[in-house]
Amino acid sequence: MQFIKSGTNIDFVGKRKFAYGLSLAMILISIASLVLHGGPRFGIDFVGGTLIQVKFQKAVQIKDIKSGLDAIAIGNSSVQYFGERGDNEYLIRTDLTAASGDNFSDRVRNALTEAAGAPAEIRRLEMVGPQVGKDLRQKALFAIFYALLFIAIYISGRFEFKWILTGIMAAAIMGAVYFLSLFDVSIPILIIVALLVTLFFFWLFNLKYAMGAIAALLHDVIITVGIFSITGKEFTLPIIAALLTIIGYSLNDTIIVFDRIRENLRKLSKQPMPLIINRSVNETLSRTILTALTTLFVVIALLVLGGGIIHDFAFALTVGIMVGTYSSIYVASPILIAWQARARKKR
């Protein structure tokens, strides 16, 4: 289905400087928010603690819930509404990471029922130890890093036929990261440095397609995480799954555009690069918009109707799809123009 007329020539490339400025502003705001908040607001999956979801048969006061928790020595707890106000459901978070005895759930229910004056139902109870949370946080960072690295190998092999070079480079970086992770090196800093070194090698070995794709994917991940930080939403394991999904979705869009650019470079070899990229983006625009819209319909339905459990997951996908579609057009492809300018300077 093609709902955009053939021959449409929207000047995407001509607006690339404005797009670069917009992207840079969004990235800087995201990083500033993460720095001010000391990183993402990690859920109990990553920091350890206890999460209790409780439902009452009538509306109760949050202060009554806290007094009930104090009665059974659950300190440093936060209580918030969960779902619609009329559902009378609440989420309780505490830094408690171990419960004595098998009747912990019964003790909490009885204490809350007595304090609130309404029958309480424990609908969810999750506990994660601090060491487990730390391990999960590190594994999540490694999952994103290795996903980006393997994508770089695939892009370089498919578009530039440099499988061996990229494979050796990736193996060396993976080996260095694994070796340094055995020592007391901060994993977030290690991953950031490894990604910067990877981008430097792409630039050094002229892997322009891989660099364009990875730059676009990093753009998507940073902005999505930044929006979570700005809105104060929790960063949990489902959000890592959402980020990996966003990476795959954005990559698919980027590959479609890159494929058309490669075809047009053969057919229009005498034309300037900006014209070829503009034509390629316009020729794939129908598919890009249709893919984004059909996917957005699904995730927005999950966001609105899916309930509190998957709300943040659907929110991450909604943000990621919009940012990923934008980056495929305005971030990944224009990098090829910068590469051509670099080649001209060398000559």
Side-chain angles (χ1 to χ4, degrees):
M1 178 180 177
Q2 186 170 4
F3 64 92
I4 293 179
K5 292 181 180 179
S6 179
T8 299
N9 187 27
I10 302 172
D11 188 15
F12 293 107
V13 171
K15 299 177 178 63
R16 67 184 184 277
K17 291 183 179 179
F18 171 79
Y20 285 158
L22 178 62
S23 293
L24 182 61
M26 288 192 293
I27 289 172
L28 290 177
I29 291 171
S30 298
I31 293 173
S33 177
L34 289 168
V35 171
L36 289 173
H37 292 98
R41 184 186 166 213
F42 290 113
I44 65 165
D45 294 338
F46 295 130
V47 296
T50 301
L51 175 71
I52 306 168
Q53 180 183 340
V54 59
K55 179 178 176 65
F56 294 92
Q57 290 186 2
K58 66 176 185 179
V60 300
Q61 298 294 321
I62 288 180
K63 62 182 179 65
D64 294 332
I65 297 175
K66 287 190 173 183
S67 67
L69 296 173
D70 290 338
I72 54 174
I74 298 181
N76 297 325
S77 59
S78 65
V79 183
Q80 67 182 74
Y81 292 100
F82 184 76
E84 300 295 331
R85 288 291 181 98
D87 294 339
N88 301 324
E89 289 193 48
Y90 301 83
L91 274 185
I92 301 168
R93 293 180 178 83
T94 175
D95 55 6
L96 178 72
T97 56
S100 57
D102 298 328
N103 62 342
F104 179 72
S105 178
D106 293 334
R107 288 170 52 213
V108 172
R109 183 178 64 251
N110 295 335
L112 292 178
T113 298
E114 183 178 348
E121 175 191 353
I122 304 299
R123 312 199 76 178
R124 182 165 44 130
L125 178 62
E126 298 176 6
M127 293 185 184
V128 178
Q131 186 58 46
V132 173
K134 180 181 177 182
D135 292 342
L136 287 174
R137 190 164 66 245
Q138 292 180 356
K139 288 177 180 177
L141 286 171
F142 281 128
I144 295 173
F145 170 69
Y146 288 131
L148 293 173
L149 202 57
F150 288 131
I151 284 169
I153 296 173
Y154 171 73
I155 293 288
S156 297
R158 174 168 176 176
F159 289 97
E160 297 167 304
F161 308 105
K162 296 180 179 179
W163 292 101
I164 297 176
L165 173 63
T166 315
I168 293 172
M169 183 191 73
I173 293 172
M174 288 168 60
V177 168
Y178 175 76
F179 177 75
L180 291 173
S181 67
L182 299 177
F183 301 94
D184 290 332
V185 179
S186 173
I187 299 300
I189 293 175
L190 177 60
I191 297 298
I192 291 170
V193 172
L195 285 171
L196 292 175
V197 170
T198 303
L199 290 173
F200 170 75
F201 280 134
F202 289 163
W203 182 264
L204 185 65
F205 295 126
N206 201 33
L207 302 172
K208 53 184 179 293
Y209 286 99
M211 186 167 186
I214 297 302
L217 296 178
L218 286 174
H219 168 277
D220 301 342
V221 170
I222 291 171
I223 291 175
T224 304
V225 174
I227 289 176
F228 262 71
S229 174
I230 292 168
T231 56
K233 291 184 176 294
E234 278 196 343
F235 206 78
T236 59
L237 281 176
I239 306 308
I240 296 297
L243 289 178
L244 293 173
T245 305
I246 291 165
I247 287 172
Y249 175 87
S250 180
L251 179 67
N252 177 64
D253 260 0
T254 301
I255 286 176
I256 290 170
V257 178
F258 278 180
D259 221 23
R260 188 57 59 90
I261 291 173
R262 186 175 59 174
E263 289 176 12
N264 287 334
L265 278 171
R266 296 194 191 108
K267 294 189 294 184
L268 308 169
S269 57
K270 294 183 180 179
Q271 297 292 336
M273 180 64 83
L275 188 147
I276 293 173
I277 291 177
N278 227 29
R279 177 167 177 171
S280 302
V281 172
N282 278 280
E283 287 175 352
T284 57
L285 192 58
S286 287
R287 181 171 179 176
T288 299
I289 293 176
L290 279 173
T291 303
L293 287 178
T294 51
T295 313
L296 272 175
F297 288 152
V298 176
V299 296
I300 289 175
L302 289 174
L303 183 67
V304 176
L305 305 172
I309 297 295
I310 61 171
H311 180 273
D312 288 353
F313 176 80
F315 177 77
L317 286 179
T318 303
V319 173
I321 288 169
M322 292 189 291
V323 175
T325 302
Y326 162 85
S327 69
S328 298
I329 296 172
Y330 283 112
V331 178
S333 303
I335 284 179
L336 302 179
I337 299 175
W339 218 280
Q340 187 187 54
R342 176 198 180 204
R344 282 178 181 169
K345 287 181 180 179
K346 281 188 175 181
R347 288 197 297 266

